[in-house]
Amino acid sequence: MPGPSSRRPSDRSGRPPGGWWPPASKPIRVEGGVTARSTRGQIGDTWWSQRFIAVLEASAIGGRLQRGRRYARTGQVLSLEIVPGQVRASVQGSRPKPYRVFIETDVLTDSEWDSIEDVMASRAVFLAKLLTGEMPEEIEEAFVECSTTLFPAPGDDLDDDLVSACSCPDWENPCKHVAAVFYLMAEAFDRDPFLIFAWRGRDKERLLADLRAR
C-alpha cells in the first residue's frame, strides 16, 4: 500500500501516461455500511461542511464526484474512523477485497493550539456558539491570526496539508472512493463540528476546558 500522498503520475487532464483508463464497473453491493443521510442533491448542511466539501469539489473530476456521492448514499463505505491527523476508511468497490482509503492532514502543535485558543478566548461568541454545537463563521479568523488554517485551501489538486490515497487502480486522485469518504466526513462534521478540531489534534473536552480556563 503506498503512502497517503502517493499516486502514479498523470497529465493535467487526470489521465495517466499512455491513455490507460480503468474500465467502468459496478460496485459489489453490501449491507450495513456507513450511509449518508442525504438522498439527493448536495451533501452537507452547514457552512463548515460545505467549506470542507469545497476542497474536494475544487480538485476532483465531476464524474467521480457523482459516483462518490452514490457510493456514500448506498453504503459502499464499510467503515470510517477519524483520528488526529488521519481518516481511515474501507470502501467496497467492484473487486472482492474492499479498498483502503486514507486522508491525512497536519496535526497542529501544542504551541499553535495555545495561540489559537488565546485568540478564540478573546471573543466570547466563540465559546458561546461552540457550547451549543455550532461553528462560528468567524472562527477561521482565529486560525489565520496564528498563521495557520482550520480547513485546507481549495486548489487544482488536494493541498499539501491534505493528502489522500486509495488502494484502487484508478490513477486519478481523488477517486470515487476517496470522494465517498469526503462526503461522509462532511456529514459527520455536520453532526459534530468538534470532529474537525479533533482531526487537527485538539479534542472537544480539552478545547472547551482550555477556553473556559482562559
Side-chain angles (χ1 to χ4, degrees), residues 1-211:
M1 172 68 190
S5 61
S6 299
R7 275 287 180 191
R8 283 172 277 185
S10 61
D11 63 24
R12 294 292 292 173
S13 70
R15 294 184 178 276
W20 181 87
W21 198 254
S25 58
K26 292 184 178 180
I28 298 171
R29 294 301 183 186
V30 294
E31 294 185 4
V34 184
T35 306
R37 299 192 314 274
S38 162
T39 58
R40 60 182 175 179
Q42 72 175 24
I43 292 181
D45 297 328
T46 59
W47 75 263
W48 56 88
S49 65
Q50 285 299 303
R51 178 78 172 81
F52 177 70
I53 286 296
V55 179
L56 170 70
E57 296 186 342
S59 58
I61 295 174
R64 286 181 174 82
L65 295 179
Q66 182 179 2
R67 291 191 291 272
R69 284 192 293 270
R70 188 180 307 124
Y71 269 51
R73 286 170 170 147
T74 56
Q76 295 302 121
V77 178
L78 303 178
S79 64
L80 189 154
E81 181 185 17
I82 300 175
V83 298
Q86 190 176 83
V87 173
R88 308 171 191 138
S90 176
V91 183
Q92 181 64 62
S94 58
R95 297 183 178 183
K97 185 177 181 179
Y99 300 124
R100 292 172 293 166
V101 170
F102 296 89
I103 301 173
E104 291 193 344
T105 191
D106 294 335
V107 172
L108 302 180
T109 66
D110 285 341
S111 177
E112 287 174 320
W113 272 113
D114 285 344
S115 298
I116 291 164
E117 289 171 354
D118 284 341
V119 176
M120 290 171 65
S122 69
R123 305 184 191 182
V125 67
F126 285 172
L127 180 58
K129 286 195 173 183
L130 288 172
L131 286 173
T132 63
E134 292 186 58
M135 181 81 79
E137 287 200 47
E138 304 84 0
I139 203 163
E140 289 185 274
E141 298 172 9
F143 287 79
V144 172
E145 285 186 38
C146 299
S147 301
T148 186
T149 59
L150 175 59
F151 301 97
D156 292 334
D157 197 356
L158 293 184
D159 202 77
D160 289 340
D161 61 354
L162 183 68
V163 294
S164 63
C166 179
S167 60
C168 77
D170 192 346
W171 292 69
E172 179 66 16
N173 186 22
C175 63
K176 58 181 175 285
H177 312 105
V178 170
V181 175
F182 261 86
Y183 286 121
L184 290 174
M185 287 174 67
E187 287 204 341
F189 293 157
D190 273 337
R191 294 190 297 271
D192 183 4
F194 286 97
L195 282 175
I196 303 172
F197 301 125
W199 192 35
R200 300 305 300 273
R202 186 64 96 225
D203 64 45
K204 177 180 180 178
E205 291 73 20
R206 171 74 182 275
L207 178 61
L208 292 180
D210 287 351
L211 292 178

